[in-house]
Amino acid sequence: MQFQLSEEQLMIQQAARDFAQTELKPGVIERDEHQKFPTEQVKKLGELGFLGMMVPEKYNGSGLDAVSYVLVMEELSKVDASASVVVSVNNSLVCYGLESFGSEYQKEKYLKPLAAGQQIGAFCLSEPEAGSDATSQQTTAEDMGDYYLLNGTKNWITNGGTASTYLVIAQTNRALKHRGINAFIVEKGMEGFTIGPKENKMGIRGSDTHSLMFNDVKVPKENRIGEDGFGFKFAMKTLEGGRIGIAAQALGIAAGAYELALEYSKQRKSFGKAISDHQAIAFKLADMATQIEAARMLVYKAAWLKDQGQSYTLAGSMAKLYASKVAMDVTIEAVQIHGGYGFVKEYHVERMMRDAKITQIYEGTSEIQSLVISREILR
Ligand code: CAA
């Protein structure tokens, strides 16, 4: 067993750390406050190759491993979870989905610009009435011969306004239940496709979340991903990898808040000494550091299993379940350690506490992760 990162992985980690400090940190409070999408920063992330990290070079990706990907997610999320969710969705849901299951035509036309960071993608599964219960899709895709007619509404779609390419899950044959579901590539600007207003969110406010409406959108047959009826499996397989990315995001949020709390506790004095010298604070820091390290092991292991070509269903769900709880617990403690300063925006930790919450909700709630884990261990 090896607990050592390779030279290349360390280099990538450092590049992401530098980027987070120099490009993401300035302006992160303002972007959160005004719900401003990090347009310039995302462009630069694309130029660095961070938007198509695991895609082979022949499709304009960086050809890196999943461990490098989680290292980048962790470092970016320490500073700006709104920017890191763009990286996560583009890499693990959109690029991975197209690269693993798309046709050659789809890879040439859609994957290449997405992996190069010239375009952004969105993954559209959730609906007003179908979140955790993902098989009960109400969006329909009627087979019209050489095209499908898409009708329905998708909710809470990350990158909903900024994306150019949307992977949309829809029901083609209700009688077949989940085996009648398909996944389609929909382009922004297709007739009948409209984007609803931006959601006003508690956290990750710099990210761009919208509902999407499809009204008789004609989707060419060659834009269906995989065989007829493959859409639900496509969504599940893709989300498995996505959960590792979100687990890494949660880990990063926790680690970022912990680092700020540690630093603050050494500087802030009370009762004649640094607050870190009070056992009440020192023990909090000890618990936070231990929880973060445990989460890190789960996240890295899940990514490593993916790199080895082994099953990561269980490991990915465990990593997401645990890391997202750690993100919540640690950010609450980080605010507590900062006292009154923790409650104001300049000190960053209140934002991190708000950002942490979504990691227990999107790409499968904590309850869904427990369901997946229990099914795996009881199988
Ligand atoms: N890999 C491959 N196939 C899988 C699978 C997996 N991991 N999990 C399930 N399947 C297959 C099953 O084998 C079954 O197929 P067959 O009948 O052909 O064998 C089919 O899918 C249905 O499986 P289940 O009977 O287990 O289905 P279920 O109704 O009990 O639901 C679930 C399973 C795990 C709860 C699933 O519905 C689920 O993951 N729900 C959560 C959805 C989710 O994560 N949404 C996130 C939205 S995306 C998002 O947040 C993105 C963003 O913008 C940030």
Side-chain angles (χ1 to χ4, degrees):
M1 184 177 287
Q2 280 216 352
F3 281 102
Q4 192 117 28
L5 297 173
S6 71
E7 283 295 314
E8 190 186 36
Q9 288 164 341
L10 285 168
M11 227 172 63
I12 292 160
Q13 183 185 45
Q14 190 59 48
R17 193 170 289 161
D18 293 344
F19 183 88
Q21 287 304 320
T22 57
E23 303 286 344
L24 295 180
K25 197 161 183 188
V28 64
I29 294 172
E30 196 205 351
R31 289 196 297 276
D32 170 73
E33 180 126 19
H34 300 294
Q35 300 201 79
K36 193 168 175 292
F37 186 81
T39 309
E40 279 308 305
Q41 292 77 3
V42 168
K43 190 166 169 267
K44 288 181 184 168
L45 284 164
E47 286 159 9
L48 276 175
F50 285 169
L51 291 179
M53 289 191 67
M54 294 165 288
V55 174
E57 286 171 20
K58 76 169 183 161
Y59 296 117
N60 291 348
S62 303
L64 293 167
D65 58 3
V67 170
S68 299
Y69 167 58
V70 297
L71 293 172
V72 168
M73 278 301 297
E74 182 182 347
E75 293 305 323
L76 302 179
S77 306
K78 280 183 185 174
V79 175
D80 187 354
S82 293
S84 74
V85 72
V86 181
V87 174
S88 175
V89 167
N90 208 66
N91 273 286
S92 23
L93 298 184
V94 182
C95 286
Y96 173 82
L98 286 173
E99 194 233 321
S100 304
F101 307 110
S103 66
E104 206 46 45
Y105 159 79
Q106 292 166 350
K107 290 181 195 181
E108 282 295 323
K109 182 166 179 193
Y110 298 106
L111 177 60
K112 277 185 161 180
L114 288 162
Q118 293 152 353
Q119 288 181 5
I120 298 291
F123 183 83
C124 317
L125 173 68
S126 301
E127 297 187 348
E129 305 292 331
S132 291
D133 183 8
T135 57
S136 64
Q137 294 285 303
Q138 298 303 308
T139 299
T140 53
E142 199 181 337
D143 190 342
M144 306 297 283
D146 51 358
Y147 64 91
Y148 286 90
L149 208 53
L150 195 61
N151 278 290
T153 302
K154 294 288 172 182
N155 262 25
W156 311 293
I157 304 303
T158 306
N159 301 339
T162 39
S164 307
T165 304
Y166 299 77
L167 307 188
V168 182
I169 313 298
Q171 183 65 259
T172 300
N173 187 339
R174 202 168 293 286
L176 295 176
K177 297 187 176 154
H178 65 267
R179 295 197 185 104
I181 290 175
N182 277 304
F184 301 94
I185 304 168
V186 177
E187 292 176 28
K188 182 181 254 162
M190 279 182 169
E191 211 182 321
F193 172 24
T194 49
I195 297 165
K198 189 167 172 162
E199 299 289 353
N200 186 1
K201 308 190 296 287
M202 170 205 267
I204 57 163
R205 288 170 57 80
S207 76
D208 176 36
T209 313
H210 293 256
S211 51
L212 307 175
M213 278 73 75
F214 303 95
N215 187 7
D216 282 344
V217 179
K218 283 185 181 176
V219 182
K221 207 134 216 188
E222 63 264 26
N223 281 24
R224 188 188 72 210
I225 303 173
E227 294 297 306
D228 191 17
F230 179 64
F232 192 71
K233 290 226 156 117
F234 168 82
M236 291 296 109
K237 285 260 159 233
T238 304
L239 276 167
E240 272 184 3
R243 287 165 185 166
I244 301 177
I246 299 303
Q249 181 187 45
L251 166 64
I253 296 171
Y258 161 76
E259 284 171 15
L260 290 174
L262 181 67
E263 201 45 44
Y264 177 82
S265 73
K266 290 185 203 163
Q267 282 159 17
R268 172 75 174 173
K269 296 214 168 25
S270 74
F271 304 101
K273 53 185 178 181
I275 61 169
S276 57
D277 288 341
H278 293 293
Q279 206 176 58
I281 301 298
F283 279 16
K284 273 190 202 301
L285 290 166
D287 282 348
M288 291 155 84
T290 307
Q291 287 174 296
I292 290 167
E293 195 55 21
R296 186 172 283 125
M297 291 300 106
L298 284 173
V299 173
Y300 289 11
K301 185 184 170 193
W304 178 84
L305 284 169
K306 186 166 187 280
D307 286 333
Q308 303 309 307
Q310 295 183 37
S311 167
Y312 51 92
T313 312
L314 178 63
S317 281
M318 282 180 165
K320 182 173 185 291
L321 177 67
Y322 187 72
S324 61
K325 177 162 171 25
V326 169
M328 211 57 249
D329 293 350
V330 165
T331 53
I332 288 172
E333 289 294 55
V335 171
Q336 191 68 18
I337 290 171
H338 278 77
Y341 292 106
F343 207 64
V344 294
K345 293 190 187 288
E346 294 95 292
Y347 284 77
H348 296 282
V349 285
E350 66 82 33
R351 184 188 72 254
M352 293 169 164
M353 190 181 102
R354 289 185 283 106
D355 288 350
K357 187 60 205 167
I358 192 61
T359 66
Q360 294 186 305
I361 298 173
Y362 59 17
E363 300 205 23
T365 60
S366 293
E367 291 73 15
I368 289 297
Q369 305 314 321
S370 296
L371 178 77
V372 172
I373 294 165
S374 61
R375 283 181 180 178
E376 288 290 315
I377 59 179
L378 293 169
R379 193 196 286 273

